[in-house]
């Protein structure tokens, strides 16, 4: 497991999440604006239909047909705007960001599996990870101790004479 790879994948994941959120936010704002405008036009359509009903009670001919037609046109415009606002976001940017996001998540999962195998290997066989690090210092300590414990022949004769 390489920590640089993990950091790189986390940065890519964070950036793509930001891009995806930005693209979705732009689409949400645009569709919200269109829906608000469609709601306003629908309100005007309802007002016109109410005005048409009023004119129907007051007079029976010209003002009624004009207000009713205007109200129906307003409702049709509102329906068209709602249909446009309901379309899902299109674009290569969102597809690319989603693809990069999924590849970085996959790479992080691979790194996590590698870490898991290293940790489980260290738990099952702890000397396998420590032994290569300890071999060289242990060999040097053993060699130094062997050199110290092996007495020189002249030193052994002088030590024997001192004891007598």
């Amino acid at each position: 497991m390489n920590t640089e790879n993990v950091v790189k994948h986390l940065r890519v994941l964070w950036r793509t999440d930001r891009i995806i959120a930005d693209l979705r936010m732009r689409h949400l704002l645009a569709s919200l604006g269109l829906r608000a405008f469609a709601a306003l036009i629908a309100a005007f359509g309802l007002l016109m239909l109410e005005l048409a009903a009023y004119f129907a009670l007051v007079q029976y001919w010209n003002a009624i047909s004009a207000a009713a037609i205007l109200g129906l046109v307003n409702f049709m415009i509102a329906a068209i705007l709602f249909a446009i606002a309901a379309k899902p976001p299109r674009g290569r940017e969102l597809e690319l960001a989603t693809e990069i996001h999924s590849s970085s998540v996959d790479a992080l999962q691979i790194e996590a599996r590698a870490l898991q195998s290293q940790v489980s290997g260290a738990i099952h066989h702890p000397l396998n990870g420590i032994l290569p690090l300890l071999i060289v210092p242990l060999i040097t300590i053993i060699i130094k101790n062997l050199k110290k414990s092996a007495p020189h022949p002249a030193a052994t004769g002088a030590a024997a004479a001192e004891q007598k």
Side-chain angles (χ1 to χ4, degrees):
M1 180 180 145
N2 191 354
T3 57
E4 292 176 11
N5 286 340
V6 172
V7 170
K8 181 181 76 170
H9 294 307
L10 285 174
R11 282 183 184 159
V12 168
L13 185 65
W14 181 64
R15 286 179 184 163
T16 55
D17 280 343
R18 262 191 2 203
I19 291 170
I20 290 170
D22 184 48
L23 291 171
R24 287 186 178 160
M25 184 62 77
R26 281 190 220 160
H27 178 263
L28 182 68
L29 288 175
S31 70
L32 181 64
L34 286 174
R35 288 178 188 201
F37 188 61
L40 181 67
I41 290 177
F44 284 134
L46 182 61
L47 180 66
M48 287 297 133
L49 287 178
E50 288 177 6
L51 188 60
Y54 173 75
F55 284 141
L57 293 174
V58 176
Q59 296 177 351
Y60 289 109
W61 291 106
N62 287 334
I64 298 169
S65 60
I69 290 172
L70 188 56
L72 290 175
V73 168
N74 284 334
F75 275 128
M76 289 187 339
I77 291 172
I80 291 170
L81 288 175
F82 271 121
I84 291 171
K87 285 186 180 178
R90 297 184 296 151
R92 294 181 221 167
E93 297 168 343
L94 184 60
E95 292 173 10
L96 178 64
T98 306
E99 184 178 324
I100 292 172
H101 180 271
S102 64
S103 68
S104 64
V105 167
D106 292 340
L108 280 173
Q109 287 176 347
I110 290 170
E111 292 291 332
R113 287 186 192 119
L115 175 66
Q116 181 184 9
S117 67
Q118 286 178 356
V119 168
S120 66
I123 290 173
H124 293 299
H125 306 289
L127 290 179
N128 287 347
I130 299 172
L131 196 58
L133 299 173
L134 295 178
I135 286 178
V136 174
L138 286 175
I139 291 175
T140 57
I141 291 171
I142 291 171
I143 290 173
K144 285 181 184 178
N145 285 337
L146 288 175
K147 284 182 181 178
K148 287 181 183 177
S149 65
H152 297 298
T156 56
E162 286 179 11
Q163 288 178 352
K164 290 182 181 179

